[in-house]
Amino acid sequence: MAKITDFILNGQPTGDVATRLINANMDPRVLRPYIGSDGKSYETRIVNGEARAVPMTNATATLRKDDWIQLDAAAISAAKPRLKLVNDLRGAGLQYVIPNGMGKTILQTQAMSDISDADISMDAIRTTAGDRPHFDLTNLPLPIISKDFSFSSRQIAASRNDGSPLDTTAAELAGQKVAEEAEKLALGTLDEYTYGGGTVYGLINYENAIAQVLTNPTTEGWAGTTLLDEVLEMIQASQDHYYYGPWRLYVSPNWGRYLNGEFKAASDKALRTRLLEIEGISDILTLDYLTGYKMVLVMTSPSVVRIVVGMEMTTVEWDSHGGMQKNFKVMAIYVPQVRCDFNGNTGIVYGNVA
């Protein structure tokens, strides 16, 4: 059987899936048809600014609403443990949500320069410098992170006939894989993603990140006080670049045995506890995809980093092989936006052993 490809070129759709997306203004919910309690097929459409169930006239749905709930729950629950950095940044309020991110390919923002200081006088007659800030436009690509899986129509029919739920293992694995790529993208352990004149950077591959050399804890003579001094140096480096906190400290798993050990000989506290006593450090979080002995000190401000959310993790469906195969795709738009000021200063300090 010939393979049918759906695509959109210069705004013109080719194929049923592409046409449905274009007609729905790229809202992926139209690719989530479901069978209602009345046995009829519905799809979700935006009507007068609200999401409403609209009867389908030219096609029929395969999954019931409960089936979609099971698939979504499986994908999202498997993804959450892998999204440590992404969820931590979002939980700290460092996110920017784009409505209908599927309909956009780039986010354009500005970096603004500073202006001169104000004057102090008794009568304000003195003329101050009438300068104005300069702006630098930057483009941030908005790639879609996705993973496919499928069921045959026979598998779905068998589940329906014997009353058993669908096997959601494939959805769980797909959700996990999407989450892992989103986490790596935000951290910067993947190659930079470039599109439309812009590049997606993560924390550790950002070109303006401040470098800090750390001492390998396996080195003879290393002690908790060694790391304490180096973290204080990282804070000083951030302040020297005009970023004054608060900060979160992200560490690789290899630091665990040292952070949870005694701060120093005969100490009554762990090294982790001592670091959290430093003014301005709000939390220390271990990230699975940081290797070796790495640390990243990040000022928690949207002017430093934020997660651009173009689409929450969702699952969509389409047919192939004459309807005999039901294809599914778990996808999300979680893009890190790592930022600096007009002069290239940033509040990200990347520490690594020599």
Side-chain angles (χ1 to χ4, degrees), residues 87-96 248 300-302 305-307:
N87 286 339
D88 188 62
L89 293 175
R90 295 184 67 182
L94 305 180
Q95 67 173 352
Y96 180 71
R248 301 175 94 79
T300 50
S301 167
V305 62
R306 62 184 181 180
I307 301 297

Side-chain angles (χ1 to χ4, degrees), residues 262-338:
E262 288 188 344
F263 164 57
K264 58 184 178 180
S267 174
D268 59 351
K269 65 180 63 175
L271 176 55
R272 181 188 300 272
T273 303
R274 179 64 186 89
L275 292 177
L276 285 171
E277 291 176 348
I278 298 174
E279 182 181 5
I281 292 185
S282 59
D283 201 4
I284 299 174
L285 185 66
T286 301
L287 300 181
D288 298 336
Y289 298 108
L290 268 181
T291 58
Y293 294 101
K294 296 183 176 69
M295 289 187 172
V296 190
L297 185 76
V298 180
M299 178 176 155
T300 50
S301 167
S303 64
V304 176
V305 62
R306 62 184 181 180
I307 301 297
V308 177
V309 182
M311 177 175 58
E312 295 287 3
M313 186 173 293
T314 189
T315 307
V316 297
E317 176 201 1
W318 71 99
D319 290 349
S320 64
H321 297 83
M324 293 296 292
Q325 179 167 297
K326 307 298 179 180
N327 304 292
F328 297 86
K329 184 186 295 287
V330 177
M331 57 185 186
I333 301 177
Y334 299 142
V335 182
Q337 186 179 28
V338 185

Side-chain angles (χ1 to χ4, degrees), residues 62 74 88 113 129 144 148 166 170 177 200 203 247 256 263 265 276 282 289 291 296 326 340:
T62 304
D88 188 62
S113 67
I144 302 169
D148 294 6
L166 283 173
K177 293 300 181 182
V200 178
L203 296 181
W247 301 273
F263 164 57
L276 285 171
S282 59
Y289 298 108
T291 58
V296 190
K326 307 298 179 180
C340 64

Side-chain angles (χ1 to χ4, degrees), residues 126-172:
R126 181 185 304 168
T127 301
T128 64
D131 53 355
R132 60 182 182 180
H134 299 281
F135 297 91
D136 185 19
L137 290 174
T138 59
N139 290 338
L140 178 72
L142 299 175
I144 302 169
I145 305 171
S146 63
K147 183 62 179 176
D148 294 6
F149 65 97
S150 64
F151 294 117
S152 70
S153 58
R154 190 177 186 186
Q155 287 175 295
I156 296 175
S159 170
R160 189 71 45 79
N161 290 333
D162 62 18
S164 60
L166 283 173
D167 184 355
T168 59
T169 302
E172 292 172 6

Side-chain angles (χ1 to χ4, degrees), residues 22-100:
I22 284 289
N23 290 341
N25 193 28
M26 298 302 291
D27 187 342
R29 284 177 290 192
V30 299
L31 299 181
R32 294 167 56 87
Y34 64 91
I35 301 171
S37 58
D38 56 3
K40 297 180 180 179
S41 297
Y42 294 87
E43 64 183 10
T44 302
R45 292 270 189 152
I46 300 298
V47 181
N48 297 325
E50 296 182 357
R52 297 183 182 178
V54 177
M56 300 176 64
T57 56
N58 297 323
T60 57
T62 304
L63 300 183
R64 297 163 297 191
K65 200 164 188 177
D66 286 347
D67 295 329
W68 279 112
I69 292 173
Q70 291 173 13
L71 287 178
D72 289 341
I76 293 172
S77 63
K80 281 184 178 180
R82 314 308 297 165
L83 289 172
K84 288 185 177 181
L85 175 60
V86 172
N87 286 339
D88 188 62
L89 293 175
R90 295 184 67 182
L94 305 180
Q95 67 173 352
Y96 180 71
V97 179
I98 301 178
N100 191 24

